[in-house]
Amino acid sequence: MLHHFLANNRDELAKRCRDKVGNRPGRSATEVQLQDGIPLLIDQLIRTLRVEQSSEPLKSELISGPAGGGVALSEVGASAAQHGKDLLELGLTVDQVVHDYGDLCQSITDLAVERDAPFSVDEFRTLNRCLDNAISDAVTEFSFQRDGLQVAKNAEENNRRMGFFVHELRNLLGTASLAFAAAEAGNLSLTGATGSILKRSLSSLDKLITATVEDVRMFEHDGTALDSFSLAEFITKIYDGATLSAKAYGCSLRILPVDIDLAVRGTQDLLIAAVANLLQNAFKFTQPGSEVLLTAYAQGDRILIDVKDHCGGLKVGTTETIFLPFSQVGTDRTGIGLGLTIARKTVEANKGTLTVHNIEGIGCVFTINLPRHSMPT
C-alpha cells in the first residue's frame, strides 16, 4: 500500500526533495523549511491514505481537502498556504512554488519505480488530489501576499504623491499670501507686478487642485461606508449573542479558533446580522441535541465564514430556492422566510457571496465569502 511505502521511505523521500531544492538554480530555503516542510507534507499524505482506507474515508478531507479543490479548511491547505508565504518572503517566483510540490511527486514516482512498488489507481488518485490541493493553496496564498505587497507599494506611491501635492500647495499658497500682503501693505494696484505674482500663484493653485481632483476621480470607488475590522473580534461578538439562542433551541454552538491576523472589510453591523440570520436558521433546523459549527478562515484573498448544521440535508432542488423571499422548505414555519434572503443581499452589498452546500443525510454548510483585507491599525 502507498501509505506503507511512504512511511517506510519517509526519510529517503525527504532527502531527495531537499537535494532537488538545493540543486535548482535560484532556489534557496531556510534550514527549518528544509527539515520540516517536506516531512510534514509526507506525514499528511500518509494519514490521508490511511483514513481513506478506514470506515470513515470522507474524514480524509479534513487533512488534505476535497477532490477537485474548492473551499475547505484542511491541514494541507494551512501548511501549503504558509509555504507559499515563505517562498514569497524569500523573493522567489510562483514557478518555484509549483516546482517544490513537483519535486515530491517526482521523488515518490522515481523511488517507486526503483523499488518496484505497485500501487492502486485510487491511491495515485489520492496522491494527486493532495498535491493538487497543496499547490492550489500555496499558489493562492503566494498570490495574495504578493498582491498585498503591491498594495503597500501603491500606498507608498500615493503617500509620495500626496507629499508632493502638499509641498506644492504650501509653496503656491505661501507665494500668493506674500503677494497679497505686499499689495495690501503698500496699497499697490493688483494690475502691477505684485498683482501678477498673485494672479499666477492663484492660477497655479487652481491647476494643481484640478489635476489632483481628476486623479482622485480615476481611482474613486464605492467603499466610503466600509470599515476594515478584525475577523476574530467579529466572530467573538457574534458568539456572545448566539450562544443563548442555541440553548433555547436545544442545541450547542461551537466555534473554531480564528487567526488573529485576519481582517475583513465591510459594514460590520450588517454582516453581524447576516451571520446571526444563518445561525438562527441553523439552530432552527438542526437536530435536537446536535452541534452547530461556526468557522472563519482565509482562502487566498478571500475570507470564508462557514455555518454547518445537522439538519439531515436539503431536499433536491432547494439549494437556491431557499434564498428566495418567503421561502420556507422545512416543517418549522415560524418566521416569515426572509432571513436567508436578507443575509444574501447583505453579503452581496459587501462585495461577497452567500452559498449553501448540501451534505446529504447530514446537514448543510452555509458559506459567506468576503474580500480579505489587512488588519486595521
Side-chain angles (χ1 to χ4, degrees), residues 260-280:
I260 61 173
D261 292 327
L262 296 179
V264 66
R265 185 173 175 81
T267 307
Q268 186 171 182
D269 290 342
L270 293 180
L271 287 174
I272 287 177
V275 177
N277 273 326
L278 295 183
L279 288 172
Q280 287 295 326

Side-chain angles (χ1 to χ4, degrees), residues 114-182:
E114 293 173 17
R115 303 286 171 84
D116 191 24
F119 307 122
S120 69
V121 173
D122 286 341
E123 287 178 320
F124 269 109
R125 186 181 294 117
T126 296
L127 174 64
N128 288 333
R129 185 194 93 210
C130 294
L131 293 176
D132 184 49
N133 286 345
I135 291 173
S136 174
D137 288 321
V139 169
T140 298
E141 184 67 18
F142 180 96
S143 300
F144 173 77
Q145 296 292 339
R146 180 190 58 194
D147 292 345
L149 290 177
Q150 186 59 49
V151 169
K153 290 180 180 178
N154 291 342
E156 183 178 352
E157 174 62 18
N158 288 338
N159 288 338
R160 187 192 67 79
R161 294 175 63 187
M162 179 59 69
F164 170 81
F165 171 76
V166 172
H167 181 268
E168 291 300 301
L169 185 66
R170 183 178 61 184
N171 285 346
L172 293 171
L173 185 58
T175 302
S177 298
L178 289 173
F180 179 80

Side-chain angles (χ1 to χ4, degrees), residues 147-221:
D147 292 345
L149 290 177
Q150 186 59 49
V151 169
K153 290 180 180 178
N154 291 342
E156 183 178 352
E157 174 62 18
N158 288 338
N159 288 338
R160 187 192 67 79
R161 294 175 63 187
M162 179 59 69
F164 170 81
F165 171 76
V166 172
H167 181 268
E168 291 300 301
L169 185 66
R170 183 178 61 184
N171 285 346
L172 293 171
L173 185 58
T175 302
S177 298
L178 289 173
F180 179 80
E184 185 179 43
N187 197 25
L188 302 175
S189 170
L190 294 181
T191 59
T194 302
S196 295
I197 295 174
L198 177 59
K199 183 177 181 179
R200 284 198 305 271
S201 298
L202 293 175
S203 176
S204 295
L205 275 171
D206 179 70
K207 291 179 181 178
L208 177 63
I209 293 172
T210 299
T212 303
V213 169
E214 289 302 316
D215 284 345
V216 171
R217 285 175 178 169
M218 286 179 61
F219 295 99
E220 185 174 302
H221 61 88

Side-chain angles (χ1 to χ4, degrees), residues 31-32 41 46 117 124 186 191 196 260 316 339 346:
E31 190 62 27
V32 172
L41 180 55
I46 293 171
F124 269 109
T191 59
S196 295
I260 61 173
V316 177
T346 298

Side-chain angles (χ1 to χ4, degrees), residues 55-329:
S55 59
E56 297 180 292
L58 291 179
K59 286 189 175 181
S60 68
E61 295 185 1
L62 297 175
I63 305 172
S64 53
V71 176
L73 184 61
S74 69
E75 294 179 28
V76 166
S79 55
Q82 183 61 48
H83 183 64
K85 181 179 179 181
D86 290 343
L87 292 192
L88 180 65
E89 291 175 351
L90 290 172
L92 302 178
T93 65
V94 70
D95 292 341
Q96 297 286 5
V97 178
V98 177
H99 280 310
D100 279 5
Y101 291 99
D103 287 342
L104 178 57
C105 184
Q106 189 64 51
S107 297
I108 293 173
T109 302
D110 290 345
L111 190 58
V113 171
E114 293 173 17
R115 303 286 171 84
D116 191 24
F119 307 122
S120 69
V121 173
D122 286 341
E123 287 178 320
F124 269 109
R125 186 181 294 117
T126 296
L127 174 64
N128 288 333
R129 185 194 93 210
C130 294
L131 293 176
D132 184 49
N133 286 345
I135 291 173
S136 174
D137 288 321
V139 169
T140 298
E141 184 67 18
F142 180 96
S143 300
F144 173 77
Q145 296 292 339
R146 180 190 58 194
D147 292 345
L149 290 177
Q150 186 59 49
V151 169
K153 290 180 180 178
N154 291 342
E156 183 178 352
E157 174 62 18
N158 288 338
N159 288 338
R160 187 192 67 79
R161 294 175 63 187
M162 179 59 69
F164 170 81
F165 171 76
V166 172
H167 181 268
E168 291 300 301
L169 185 66
R170 183 178 61 184
N171 285 346
L172 293 171
L173 185 58
T175 302
S177 298
L178 289 173
F180 179 80
E184 185 179 43
N187 197 25
L188 302 175
S189 170
L190 294 181
T191 59
T194 302
S196 295
I197 295 174
L198 177 59
K199 183 177 181 179
R200 284 198 305 271
S201 298
L202 293 175
S203 176
S204 295
L205 275 171
D206 179 70
K207 291 179 181 178
L208 177 63
I209 293 172
T210 299
T212 303
V213 169
E214 289 302 316
D215 284 345
V216 171
R217 285 175 178 169
M218 286 179 61
F219 295 99
E220 185 174 302
H221 61 88
D222 184 20
T224 56
L226 305 182
D227 293 314
S228 186
F229 51 89
S230 164
L231 180 63
E233 293 177 5
F234 173 76
I235 294 298
T236 298
K237 291 178 181 178
I238 293 170
Y239 177 79
D240 291 340
T243 304
L244 294 177
S245 295
K247 291 180 179 178
Y249 278 98
C251 60
S252 62
L253 172 63
R254 184 164 66 97
I255 296 181
L256 296 185
V258 181
D259 188 339
I260 61 173
D261 292 327
L262 296 179
V264 66
R265 185 173 175 81
T267 307
Q268 186 171 182
D269 290 342
L270 293 180
L271 287 174
I272 287 177
V275 177
N277 273 326
L278 295 183
L279 288 172
Q280 287 295 326
N281 184 75
F283 299 155
K284 180 178 177 180
F285 293 108
T286 198
Q287 296 296 326
S290 65
E291 178 186 82
V292 173
L293 179 64
L294 176 62
T295 58
Y297 54 97
Q299 182 81 14
D301 62 346
R302 310 296 294 181
I303 291 293
L304 288 307
I305 302 172
D306 293 341
V307 175
K308 179 180 180 181
D309 63 42
H310 290 80
C311 66
L314 296 172
K315 295 180 180 179
V316 177
T318 60
T319 54
E320 280 301 316
T321 59
I322 59 174
F323 293 106
L324 296 176
F326 309 109
S327 175
Q328 293 181 307
V329 297

Side-chain angles (χ1 to χ4, degrees), residues 274 278 305 320 323 339-345 347-348 352-356 366-369:
L278 295 183
I305 302 172
E320 280 301 316
F323 293 106
L340 295 179
T341 304
I342 295 172
R344 173 173 271 192
K345 294 294 183 183
V347 172
E348 290 174 347
T353 60
L354 171 58
T355 56
V356 62
F366 286 84
T367 300
I368 293 177
N369 186 321

